[in-house]
Amino acid sequence: MRHWMMLAAVLLPGMASASGHELSLGGNLFSSSGLSLALPHRPGLEAAYAYETGGWRLGGGIRWNFSPVGGNPPLEVYARAQLTAEMGVWRPAVGPELGLSGLRVVAEPNPGFPPDYPEVRANRFGLVYAAIHAAPLRFAFGRFTASALELQWGTLLTPRPGSLMRLQLGLLQVGVML
């Protein structure tokens, strides 16, 4: 019995340093588009939780958009799984994200578009989306993490998969390991 306790005492600190819980806050820009790359954008905030263990980050969070559009709550709730690498202080991460979105970003009609353009566009938005989330400029300094220029690219899954593209740029995300 004593040998098992000694083995646990040796292994547990190493396991604790290899895994951790992270809470983070950040700012982002959100855009959606059909065929055009002239994307309307809305700034927002993000609060996230991640559990990191052995090359994986599993977690989720909530995003809040500053400008409510169309009567829906300007919120998103998501879950994500990312592969990570550890190279000194550099900790890039990439992986899929699945979420529910109340964000409806519709540009004002330009001259030449029909007057019902915003309404027709808004009807193409659904609640469920899937995306790839990449954090190539993510760094860890002791218990603190910082990430800049994160990119999320995906599509809405409802009402018609692939009918609208999602694009989000994470400006800055700052976190702390608990």
Side-chain angles (χ1 to χ4, degrees):
M1 181 70 159
R2 184 175 215 145
H3 297 291
W4 286 107
M5 291 174 61
M6 288 175 55
L7 181 61
V10 169
L11 291 179
L12 286 178
M15 289 171 61
S17 67
S19 65
H21 303 271
E22 178 187 10
L23 293 176
S24 62
L25 291 172
N28 57 53
L29 290 176
F30 171 79
S31 298
S32 285
S33 178
L35 301 174
S36 168
L37 289 180
L39 303 172
H41 64 278
R42 304 288 190 269
L45 292 175
E46 179 174 343
Y49 164 80
Y51 176 71
E52 194 164 333
T53 181
W56 284 95
R57 286 176 46 85
L58 307 171
I62 186 165
R63 291 187 190 101
W64 176 68
N65 189 295
F66 288 135
S67 26
V69 223
N72 292 314
L75 295 174
E76 284 189 339
V77 178
Y78 65 88
R80 78 171 62 130
Q82 295 178 306
L83 286 170
T84 64
E86 184 175 330
M87 294 171 260
V89 297
W90 185 37
R91 304 278 170 28
V94 65
E97 177 175 309
L98 185 63
L100 299 173
S101 178
L103 299 179
R104 309 286 195 271
V105 179
V106 178
E108 295 299 320
N110 293 331
F113 283 108
D116 65 345
Y117 172 78
E119 181 182 324
V120 171
R121 283 279 289 193
N123 290 335
R124 289 182 169 224
F125 285 87
L127 286 176
V128 182
Y129 72 88
I132 296 294
H133 187 95
L137 298 177
R138 186 172 167 271
F139 302 92
F141 307 100
R143 290 184 43 206
F144 298 97
T145 61
S147 182
L149 302 178
E150 295 183 3
L151 181 65
Q152 181 208 87
W153 179 67
T155 186
L156 296 174
L157 297 178
T158 59
R160 295 184 308 188
S163 63
L164 287 176
M165 177 184 78
R166 289 176 48 89
L167 183 63
Q168 178 184 310
L169 178 64
L171 301 175
L172 180 65
Q173 191 89 5
V174 178
V176 63
M177 299 294 283
L178 303 177

